[in-house]
Amino acid sequence: MSLEAIEKVTQVENEVRERRAAAEAEAKQLVADAEKEGQALLQRTRAAGAEAGRELLRQAEERAAAAAEKTARAAEADAAKLRQTAEKRLEAAAEFIVGRVVSN
């Protein structure tokens, strides 16, 4: 084999090694980038999930407060009706008691 052919083979082998090294470096970089992007996506997803959870909690608290307010208004209305009924009956009860005391 001539010196020129040996140099050519050596040059091609060196180029192959360089390309292989470059390909391996690029593959490592792609893996590192994909891992970094995956971690960032995971972090964003967690943050979005936490925010969604806070929003759901806020909505549930609003609904609970509205339900409590509605229940309180209904209880006050019932109490007012009971007071009115009791006041009406109080006068009749007082007359009945006075009538019993006077007749005895």
Side-chain angles (χ1 to χ4, degrees):
M1 189 180 276
S2 71
L3 182 59
E4 190 177 301
I6 293 172
E7 287 176 355
K8 184 71 172 169
V9 169
T10 304
Q11 181 184 359
V12 169
E13 287 175 347
N14 288 337
E15 289 175 3
V16 168
R17 271 189 235 114
E18 288 174 5
R19 287 181 185 169
R20 180 177 289 147
E24 288 174 359
E26 185 179 353
K28 286 181 184 178
Q29 186 62 46
L30 287 172
V31 169
D33 290 346
E35 190 171 302
K36 185 177 179 181
E37 288 176 19
Q39 289 295 328
L41 178 60
L42 180 62
Q43 186 63 30
R44 288 192 305 268
T45 302
R46 285 181 178 160
E51 180 61 33
R54 285 191 292 274
E55 177 61 21
L56 287 174
L57 180 60
R58 185 192 64 74
Q59 290 174 2
E61 287 173 343
E62 283 182 3
R63 287 192 303 271
E69 179 66 27
K70 183 178 178 181
T71 302
R73 284 194 306 267
E76 282 194 31
D78 289 345
K81 288 178 185 176
L82 288 173
R83 267 193 301 276
Q84 288 175 350
T85 303
E87 286 173 2
K88 289 178 183 174
R89 292 183 179 173
L90 179 63
E91 189 175 320
E95 288 177 14
F96 175 75
I97 292 170
V98 169
R100 301 265 323 214
V101 168
V102 171
S103 65
N104 282 335

